[in-house]
Amino acid sequence: MTVFKLAVVSAGLSKPSSTRLLADRLAESTVRQLALQGREVEVTVVELRDLAGDIANNFVTGFPAAALRGAIEAVTDADALIAVTPIFTASYSGLFKSFFDVIDQDALTGKPVLIAATGGTPRHSLALEHAVRPLFSYLRAVVLPTAVYAATDDWGAAGDGHTDGLPRRIDRAAGELAALLAGRTPAEPSLPEQVVPFAEQLAALRV
Ligand SMILES: Cc1cc2nc3c(=O)[nH]c(=O)nc-3n(C[C@H](O)[C@H](O)[C@H](O)COP(=O)(O)O)c2cc1C
């Protein structure tokens, strides 16, 4: 059976990071709900914190360093994406936006994307709707209806079991992603880029 590839992008800066924790919870729930339907998932986590220098350099040089290239390929080759940003100044973080700025603008077309964010205050939950959702809509991704926001107060026992607590919101969003993926066929592995040796290119020119 072909395995779905799920890319998870976390733009958290702290260690430990609540953004990464939310990303992991969403991925676990998606894997669990797809497993119930007999589908397997391979998860690749991209921590943008580790790529901050490479992303900045990409803007200056126009080329991604090896680690950043690997991260971009993990995202563009995936069948689906979970994208989680901390809210900075009422919007996505600059690092989160910069990563999607260095990816080809057509690379996410048609890709299911589950969006999520963490923040200090519950009052900024709509940043997902006025900033993050339009970003992925512009990239022509298929953004899932439920976006998950976790404020500091959402973590811990208070939300557990509540009809609209964080665990329920995570399962609802992951359930939407699992349902969408279950109806799709996993993408074929992309062929490695054919590199034509320089001598061969020269020989081809000598007609
Ligand atoms: C520069 C900066 C700006 C922030 N702005 C906001 C904000 O506007 N709204 C909000 O709810 N939280 C804001 N926060 C808090 C972070 O969103 C929150 O701490 C986040 O969950 C941290 O994620 P991490 O633990 O993954 O690093 C800000 C934090 C920083 C460092």
Side-chain angles (χ1 to χ4, degrees):
M1 185 180 55
T2 333
V3 176
F4 284 114
K5 282 187 277 183
L6 174 63
V8 179
V9 170
S10 169
L13 298 183
S14 319
K15 277 221 165 166
S17 153
S18 58
T19 308
R20 173 63 192 269
L21 181 60
L22 180 57
D24 287 346
R25 293 270 174 91
L26 287 163
E28 282 160 20
S29 182
T30 306
V31 170
R32 195 171 56 244
Q33 296 192 55
L34 274 166
L36 290 175
Q37 304 184 46
R39 312 303 294 262
E40 274 184 61
V41 190
E42 177 191 299
V43 179
T44 304
V45 179
V46 174
E47 273 276 11
L48 296 187
R49 182 184 196 277
D50 303 332
L51 300 169
D54 282 354
I55 292 170
N57 281 331
N58 193 151
F59 283 112
V60 180
T61 62
F63 295 99
L68 177 57
R69 193 168 63 241
I72 292 171
E73 281 170 9
V75 168
T76 56
D77 289 354
D79 296 292
L81 169 66
I82 293 175
V84 194
T85 179
I87 297 301
F88 282 4
T89 325
S91 187
Y92 37 61
S93 74
L95 181 61
F96 182 83
K97 175 67 161 50
S98 297
F99 177 67
F100 291 100
D101 285 345
V102 300
I103 293 183
D104 186 287
Q105 291 210 345
D106 295 322
L108 299 187
T109 300
K111 200 180 292 298
V113 179
L114 192 173
I115 55 172
T118 61
T121 168
R123 287 185 294 279
H124 281 172
S125 61
L126 284 178
L128 276 165
E129 302 302 332
H130 69 64
V132 186
R133 188 180 295 278
L135 166 66
F136 289 103
S137 298
Y138 170 71
L139 295 171
R140 294 192 293 276
V142 178
V143 190
L144 292 164
T146 299
V148 181
Y149 183 80
T152 309
D153 290 349
D154 281 315
W155 298 104
D160 293 343
H162 188 276
T163 43
D164 219 19
L166 182 58
R168 295 285 178 92
R169 300 203 301 275
I170 289 171
D171 283 344
R172 188 188 308 140
E176 289 170 9
L177 181 56
L180 186 57
L181 273 178
R184 293 186 170 203
T185 312
E188 293 294 325
S190 54
L191 292 171
E193 221 169 86
Q194 277 285 236
V195 179
V196 181
F198 190 53
E200 272 181 41
Q201 293 184 40
L202 274 182
L205 288 175
R206 277 190 228 110
V207 280

